[in-house]
Amino acid sequence: MSHLDRVVSAGDAELLVREWGSEGPPIFFWHALGDHTSLQMVEAGPILAEEYGFRVLGADAPGFGGSPRVHDSGYQMDALVELAASLLDALALDPVVWCGSSWGGILGVHFAAAHPERVAALALVDGGYLDPVHDYGETLDEARAFWQSQDRWRFQSWTEVIAKAREAFQRWSPGLDEYVRSAFREDNGDVVSTVGPDVYAAAMHGIDRSPPSSVHARLAATEVPILLLGATEPPKENVRRIEWRERFSKTVPHAEVRIFQGAPHLMLEARPDETARAIGDWLKSLPYA
């Protein structure tokens, strides 16, 4: 299934929105932080649309892929929550299933805590349950200086970009190729990340100032159904993941937690079929669907 692309005005932003399916209950997707776009859903989206009858929409966040960046203040969590609300208004979507990968899950718990009436269900793909760990300073200026110093934003060729992605994902497909290319652009003979260090630092700083745990108690007070799909790879991160999953389950006891043994953090890239069907089957068990 191919996707439809359009640019939508929301608040002070112009956002590229992709859509799979045109009918059925809406799933709104927000992607991970880094070299990602709404095409992170390129393989799972068609499954949820064709097999489960959902209408799947995803946006490139400001400064990612096909969406121009916004002011630094626009990457604070409260600003992103209101941007998402404005986008859903512009798309005439209410309520929605919010599905988020990593950063998208973090924004999802903030959005559901702030606007529970607008969220029919919340699907967290290894995100939204644990707070970040960082070592790049406390201020935005410090974070920006750190990320500007990292050699991860510019490549000499598309071949180099694709080779790095293949190594990270451990599998490949035409969809993944399209997805990876959507997060980069050509610049003076090189291939560069569309997000870059400035936007990345601003988004990371936004998480640091409002980590997901800061809204877990508010989330627990809602009646929003929640599914958390938890990763186990790499094993060195499991102690921290297990601790935070247990903390999340105690704070938000109505959340359903499922562990994908052998799955990495980026489940939609590594195991799109299994991830999509876990979400689809769970949603079909809810009154929403």
Side-chain angles (χ1 to χ4, degrees):
M1 172 185 283
S2 60
H3 50 83
L4 299 176
D5 298 1
R6 54 178 157 150
V7 175
V8 179
S9 297
D12 295 330
E14 298 287 325
L15 302 177
L16 177 62
V17 174
R18 295 184 172 93
E19 183 172 352
W20 294 265
S22 59
E23 298 179 350
I27 295 175
F28 179 74
F29 175 74
W30 195 279
H31 59 77
L33 180 58
D35 295 321
H36 303 286
T37 69
S38 55
L39 280 179
Q40 191 175 15
M41 192 58 98
V42 69
E43 294 177 315
I47 294 173
L48 288 165
E50 292 180 333
E51 296 186 19
Y52 292 91
F54 289 101
R55 179 186 176 202
V56 182
L57 304 98
D60 286 3
F64 295 73
S67 298
R69 67 162 296 171
V70 294
H71 187 271
D72 288 344
S73 61
Y75 295 95
Q76 296 302 307
M77 277 295 148
D78 58 351
L80 288 172
V81 164
E82 293 316 304
L83 173 61
S86 295
L87 178 58
L88 295 185
D89 287 342
L91 294 169
L93 299 178
D94 199 1
V96 297
V97 171
W98 182 291
C99 179
S101 171
S102 190
W103 183 42
I106 295 173
L107 182 54
V109 299
H110 280 271
F111 188 87
H115 300 289
E117 75 286 352
R118 305 197 67 169
V119 182
L122 180 61
L124 305 173
V125 183
D126 205 46
Y129 68 99
L130 78 172
D131 290 351
V133 173
H134 66 79
D135 55 0
Y136 46 77
E138 298 299 324
T139 69
L140 175 55
D141 287 342
E142 290 172 331
R144 183 160 285 154
F146 173 84
W147 290 111
Q148 287 173 345
S149 71
Q150 302 302 297
D151 183 23
R152 54 168 291 176
W153 312 106
R154 182 174 292 270
F155 298 85
Q156 294 183 344
S157 67
W158 284 107
T159 300
E160 188 178 354
V161 171
I162 297 302
K164 181 181 178 183
R166 279 179 172 268
E167 181 180 357
F169 297 162
Q170 299 180 352
R171 59 176 290 271
W172 202 244
S173 70
L176 286 179
D177 188 90
E178 180 187 13
Y179 160 44
V180 169
R181 290 175 185 272
S182 73
F184 292 85
R185 59 180 174 81
E186 296 182 7
D187 179 60
N188 293 325
D190 290 341
V191 179
V192 300
S193 167
T194 58
V195 55
D198 290 352
V199 169
Y200 187 82
M204 288 294 293
H205 185 62
I207 299 171
D208 291 340
R209 290 191 62 186
S210 301
S213 66
S214 66
V215 295
H216 285 168
R218 289 168 58 197
L219 187 64
T222 73
E223 297 181 355
V224 175
I226 302 167
L227 173 66
L228 168 62
L229 302 179
T232 63
E233 295 293 326
K236 66 180 181 180
E237 297 180 11
N238 272 346
V239 171
R240 184 168 171 270
R241 281 173 171 156
I242 291 170
E243 176 186 347
W244 275 101
R245 283 198 299 262
E246 291 176 350
R247 187 181 305 182
F248 180 73
S249 293
K250 290 179 180 178
T251 306
V252 192
H254 74 276
E256 181 175 343
V257 179
R258 300 185 192 176
I259 308 305
F260 273 26
Q261 293 297 331
H265 178 57
L266 296 177
M267 294 182 187
L268 288 166
E269 291 86 336
R271 292 159 69 167
D273 293 12
E274 184 179 357
T275 304
R277 292 190 174 98
I279 294 170
D281 290 342
W282 175 70
L283 290 175
K284 284 298 184 181
S285 72
L286 302 178
Y288 167 81

